[in-house]
Every structure is written in C-alpha cells, then in structure tokens.
Amino acid sequence: DLHATSAAMPDKAMTLSKDDIFTRLWIYSHHIYNKHKRKNILDWSKELHLSGFSMPGKPGIVCIEGLQSTCEEFWARLRRLTWKRILIRHREDIPLAVQAADLSTEIQKQRRFSDFEEKVFDVHGTRSEEH
C-alpha cells in the first residue's frame, strides 16, 4: 500500500519529486477496439517517452513505464477518453538514485521494455483456409 509507506516514512516521501521516481502502470480496460484511442495511446507514449505495450481487444491492457510525472500525464489523458471501464490494476513506484550523474541511465536500468508497441494477437489462429 503506497499510503502506508508514505505515512511510515514521511520525511523520505517528501524529498522525492515525481522526476525521482520510476513508475510502471498496468492499466486494464473493459475493451480497446477504437482506432482513435489506439492511435492516441501510441502517440502519447512516444510524446511522453514512455515504454511498454498496449494490447487491444477484450479486455484491453496497457502497460506504461517511465518517470512518474509522465506516467501520470499519460493516465490523466487516457482517463479523459470515454471508457466503459478503465482502471490501474497494478502500480510500481521505484525511487531512482537521485545522486546519479546521469538520470537517463538510471531510468534505462529500470525499464522492462525498450520501446512502446501495440501487441495484436489473432484470436482465431492462422487457419485461414477454413474461412
């Protein structure tokens, strides 16, 4: 629980800014089919320098990672779109070594994904001769 951690260590929580924390969000939606939403997800992740993936379909899944401030900006934009249901299913906040000379190197160490891409799976398999 993030609130319990902050309450237990108020002095440390107050000293970290949103640019000192690496965040990974696992976002679940009832579904993602709309081409405009899918394009927004791809465009915003690129604009905000986020890595991860999106999986359109039912359910729709988006995983983004990057600086906390940019992840929160992405989530704010995404939430403003019309959804049947969308929520952050899981959140990871990792404090970065603030004294690091090169913050971008610290960020790269935490990434699980090298870039952002849409993953599309053919739920019907490759049995095209049966259609």
Side-chain angles (χ1 to χ4, degrees):
D1 186 19
L2 294 175
H3 299 293
T5 307
S6 296
M9 301 170 12
D11 56 330
K12 182 158 182 140
M14 296 295 172
T15 59
L16 291 176
S17 80
K18 290 181 179 183
D19 289 335
D20 299 334
I21 299 172
F22 183 86
T23 296
R24 186 174 300 114
L25 300 178
W26 293 85
I27 301 167
Y28 282 52
S29 170
H30 180 268
H31 65 269
I32 303 174
Y33 293 118
N34 183 289
K35 289 189 185 307
H36 297 293
K37 288 179 184 174
R38 290 166 61 181
K39 184 177 183 330
N40 283 338
I41 290 168
L42 291 169
D43 291 348
W44 294 339
S45 62
K46 184 176 183 174
E47 175 194 339
L48 297 169
H49 308 288
L50 299 171
S51 52
F53 67 90
S54 65
M55 269 181 29
K58 184 175 179 181
I61 300 170
V62 179
C63 177
I64 56 162
E65 58 180 14
L67 287 177
Q68 186 178 68
S69 57
T70 53
C71 286
E72 288 180 358
E73 172 62 22
F74 180 92
W75 172 239
R77 293 179 187 185
L78 195 63
R79 228 179 32 220
R80 281 194 289 266
L81 302 176
T82 304
W83 299 95
K84 181 170 184 174
R85 183 163 192 232
I86 192 162
L87 64 132
I88 296 175
R89 177 70 72 186
H90 183 69
R91 178 183 186 125
E92 300 168 62
D93 288 310
I94 304 156
L96 296 171
V98 181
Q99 69 277 9
D102 188 4
L103 191 60
S104 62
T105 302
E106 248 340 90
I107 292 166
Q108 292 308 321
K109 284 183 194 174
Q110 297 300 330
R111 289 193 191 275
R112 299 287 181 262
F113 306 97
S114 57
D115 56 6
F116 191 94
E117 59 185 346
E118 186 177 78
K119 307 275 190 186
V120 181
F121 295 95
D122 180 5
V123 296
H124 302 293
T126 54
R127 298 169 294 162
S128 58
E129 67 276 0
E130 294 178 21
H131 297 290

